[in-house]
Amino acid sequence: MNTLLYTHPIFLHHETGLGHPESAARLESIAKALERPEFAALDRRLAPKADLDTVRLIHSEKHIKRVFDRVPKIGFGYLDADTILSPESGDAALHAVGAACAAVDAVFAKAARNGFCALRPPGHHATPEQAMGFCLFNNVAIAAEHARKQHGIKKVAILDFDVHHGNGTQDAFAKNPEVLYASTHQSPWYPDTGHAHETGVGNIMNAPLAAGSGSKEFRAALTDRMLPFIDKFAPELVLISAGFDAHRDDPLGELQLSEDDYAWATGELMKLADRHCGGRVVSLLEGGYHLDALGRSVAAHVRALMSV
């Protein structure tokens, strides 16, 4: 079976202002990287627009209302100093949720073995009650609950290798033993969560990495801790919060990963998914702000997804 790529032109119309690192240029860089002939076999699909009931799987009515109330008719609206809205941001956020859920549906329908969602705005900082860190709705958390509600499964594992801890995803599932969340991230760093002692109800594992850590430390964290933790859990679906800002060239982090590290991590997760859930893996874009490094890293990640 092939690999899916979900994206949508609306993602380019979520405008964040001059100089903001989370810009449309990120998706343009990814699109250019995936234009190469080696990616011709990707099954490219438009992300559908999710309905609000789907967003409510994770987020409160108050949170949803606040997001849409701040969407401006012209110019920019602000949820905080870094989390910025433009007139089409609400639609973009709903299509981002739609991409995540459609990819989940496709792998359960056996229309594809796995998928990557090139989307924005990202999601893993959005808590059930608060938008923050460039994130409006928590795409990966919603996808996990959608999978459990719509496809009759119980156990979903989420691995997050963004340079920033996915505090919103952890908050969503810290009391839910049927969703596992595992994260490698720089610490101390924004948002100052994800410490090793944060274990939820035994379903959370954080492996904070010191500034300057690179391939050796990252691979050891996955090999010694994360992958055995997920393997023991035996998930029915593996989701990836795929942030590429732990790359050594990225301006928003101080870790030293390379494209090879992302390809390796993807391959290891695919082996795990093959053992437990028929290879079902859905990956969602989170961070990554050096445009060239982002394009190279996504290419390495997608190449690994396609190498079934």
Side-chain angles (χ1 to χ4, degrees), residues 17 31 33 76 86 99 101 119 157 161-162 168 171 181 186 190 203 206 221 223 235 273:
F76 297 103
S86 61
C101 294
L119 55 79
F161 51 64
D162 194 279
D171 283 0
Y181 177 71
Q186 183 176 331
Y190 180 88
N203 63 323
N206 289 302
T223 300

Side-chain angles (χ1 to χ4, degrees), residues 222-270:
L222 264 68
T223 300
D224 298 342
R225 300 185 60 197
M226 299 295 182
L227 295 171
F229 184 55
I230 299 170
D231 203 20
K232 183 178 179 181
F233 182 70
E236 297 163 270
L237 172 68
V238 174
L239 299 176
I240 305 174
S241 267
F244 299 98
D245 42 6
H247 193 282
R248 61 190 171 217
D249 293 337
D250 199 276
L252 266 62
E254 296 174 341
L255 297 184
Q256 301 294 311
L257 301 191
S258 70
E259 302 95 283
D260 289 345
D261 294 312
Y262 295 122
W264 172 81
T266 306
E268 292 301 304
L269 284 168
M270 289 170 62

Side-chain angles (χ1 to χ4, degrees), residues 7 23 30 41 92 125 181 184 208 233 245 256-257 267 276 282:
T7 192
S23 70
I30 289 170
H125 293 310
Y181 177 71
T184 63
F233 182 70
D245 42 6
Q256 301 294 311
L257 301 191
H276 295 294
V282 172

Side-chain angles (χ1 to χ4, degrees), residues 158-169:
I158 302 168
L159 180 76
D160 187 333
F161 51 64
D162 194 279
V163 78
H164 305 99
H165 179 246
N167 59 301
T169 311

Side-chain angles (χ1 to χ4, degrees), residues 31-118:
K32 182 177 180 181
L34 297 181
E35 283 175 357
R36 295 199 291 267
E38 65 180 302
F39 299 110
L42 278 173
D43 185 349
R44 300 166 189 262
R45 301 188 180 186
L46 281 178
K49 185 176 179 178
D51 59 33
L52 291 181
D53 282 342
T54 302
V55 180
R56 292 184 187 106
L57 291 172
I58 291 295
H59 295 289
S60 70
E61 200 68 47
K62 181 179 179 181
H63 170 78
I64 296 168
K65 184 177 185 301
R66 182 168 183 261
V67 168
F68 283 103
D69 282 352
R70 297 293 177 91
V71 172
K73 288 184 169 45
I74 59 171
F76 297 103
Y78 294 83
L79 290 161
D80 61 33
D82 295 320
T83 309
I84 300 171
L85 302 167
S86 61
E88 295 188 73
S89 294
D91 279 348
L94 291 177
H95 278 279
V97 171
C101 294
V104 165
D105 292 342
V107 299
F108 275 99
K110 298 185 178 180
R113 189 175 184 83
N114 56 50
F116 175 67
C117 300

